[in-house]
Amino acid sequence: MKSTVSKTLRYIPQKKLAVSEPPPEWFGNGPNAEGDKAWTNKNWLKSRFHFSFAEYSNPRNTNFGVLRVMNDDLVQPKRGFGTHPHRNMEIVTYIVQGQLTHQDSMGTSESLGRGSVQFMTAGTGIRHSEKNGGADPLRFIQMWLVPKANGLTPNYGSMCGTKISFDNQWAHIVSSTESDAKTPVKINCDANIKVAELKENKSIEFSLSKSRQAYFLAVEGSPVVEGEFGSQKFEQHDAAELYGEEKFKISGPGHVLIVEMDSDGEGGRSDI
């Protein structure tokens, strides 16, 4: 299938994502391990940036509506991000594989695995660390969303992945504090996050009204998205901007994530 750019879907292949592999000492890590068979990457961290972040600066790709950051991070065993600060951002982390251990300045400390969600209202300021203390690689998707207001009271929360089912169906895991939707995670932002794991020949639908937009990520597998525009096949790490008014059909096999939000009318990436 050829790449799709239409009024309702803009396909973003993983080759259009920025890749970062910073030196281990930048985040308080020791030297990279050599000859450790548990490591799946030579460097302790491999990040894929969907929007401008750190050393990747692209004025034509700074955000998608309220979604300011989406980083797809692969962290090797016994490595991680040392304590660092955040302010005035809603931060949602979805764990794909391995165990993520979080500690923060509010006294929180916990480890969560596949399908789990951690979230923070950074607000007036919070410091935290994120580490892989396990023997296997850790992969997680971290999203930063612009809050409805600055100066909010810092907050942390989580959802264990065993508490919700997303096999061949949508799991609505995040919604706004102002929404009536019953989700395990609430954030101070007009956005919804849904995930699903689809087996071969299984499909689900996702509808967008004219005033809404969504960012789609193929977390794993090779899902296909269909609509009035035609169809687009995805591979792991591929993404897309989705626009209303449209009803999308998403078919497996694939593990998919969607961040849905109010349309900002700006049209997303302008370099594709």
Side-chain angles (χ1 to χ4, degrees):
M1 297 182 185
K2 64 180 181 180
S3 297
T4 299
V5 177
S6 73
K7 290 183 178 179
T8 57
L9 184 146
R10 176 183 286 116
Y11 172 62
I12 304 170
Q14 66 165 306
K15 66 182 181 181
K16 290 293 186 178
L17 306 179
V19 177
S20 176
E21 298 195 42
E25 61 270 18
W26 284 12
F27 293 91
N29 293 284
N32 289 324
E34 294 186 11
D36 189 332
K37 294 182 179 180
W39 280 45
T40 57
N41 190 59
K42 290 183 178 180
N43 194 52
W44 74 279
L45 172 66
K46 184 171 186 175
S47 293
R48 290 176 170 87
F49 300 153
H50 287 255
F51 309 103
S52 293
F53 189 83
E55 72 272 21
Y56 169 57
S57 178
N58 180 354
R60 301 176 71 183
N61 182 33
T62 59
N63 65 288
F64 183 70
V66 295
L67 183 59
R68 172 62 189 86
V69 169
M70 179 181 279
N71 292 347
D72 188 338
D73 291 342
L74 178 65
V75 182
Q76 298 305 310
K78 310 301 180 183
R79 300 295 188 272
F81 300 90
T83 303
H84 56 282
H86 292 287
R87 294 176 64 89
N88 293 324
M89 198 65 66
E90 299 292 287
I91 301 174
V92 179
T93 303
Y94 178 69
I95 303 163
V96 181
Q97 68 180 66
Q99 290 278 327
L100 174 61
T101 297
H102 164 100
Q103 291 184 304
D104 63 42
S105 52
M106 296 185 293
T108 308
S109 178
E110 70 171 345
S111 298
L112 291 169
R114 182 177 174 86
S116 299
V117 179
Q118 295 180 339
F119 77 94
M120 293 193 305
T121 293
T124 55
I126 190 171
R127 295 177 62 82
H128 79 136
S129 63
E130 300 158 297
K131 296 185 177 182
N132 176 10
D136 300 311
L138 161 70
R139 181 182 169 212
F140 59 87
I141 313 299
Q142 186 163 100
M143 296 154 277
W144 298 10
L145 299 103
V146 179
K148 63 184 180 182
N150 288 337
L152 298 173
T153 300
N155 184 36
Y156 172 85
S158 63
M159 179 207 76
C160 180
T162 61
K163 300 295 185 181
I164 196 165
S165 174
F166 44 82
D167 290 341
N168 302 313
Q169 63 182 325
W170 286 120
H172 191 179
I173 57 175
V174 177
S175 64
S176 168
T177 55
E178 299 180 352
S179 167
D180 292 330
K182 294 182 179 180
T183 59
V185 172
K186 289 285 189 176
I187 58 173
N188 297 286
C189 176
D190 179 10
N192 296 281
I193 301 178
K194 299 180 179 183
V195 294
E197 285 198 61
L198 303 171
K199 294 182 179 179
E200 187 88 41
N201 300 320
K202 295 292 185 178
S203 63
I204 52 177
E205 292 185 343
F206 177 74
S207 296
L208 274 175
S209 67
K210 192 173 183 179
S211 62
R212 306 291 285 183
Q213 63 186 35
Y215 198 79
F216 172 88
L217 175 65
V219 179
E220 297 172 305
S222 51
V224 174
V225 177
E226 300 172 84
E228 291 187 6
F229 64 88
S231 63
Q232 176 65 54
K233 183 176 181 180
F234 292 74
E235 299 298 339
Q236 180 170 302
H237 303 302
D238 291 347
E241 299 167 1
L242 307 181
Y243 298 92
E245 185 174 5
E246 176 72 284
K247 178 182 286 186
F248 301 92
K249 178 182 177 182
I250 305 169
S251 303
H255 182 182
V256 300
L257 178 150
I258 280 182
V259 185
E260 184 266 355
M261 68 202 78
D262 189 42
S263 175
D264 63 359
E266 296 183 2
R269 290 190 72 156
S270 60
D271 60 344
I272 293 179

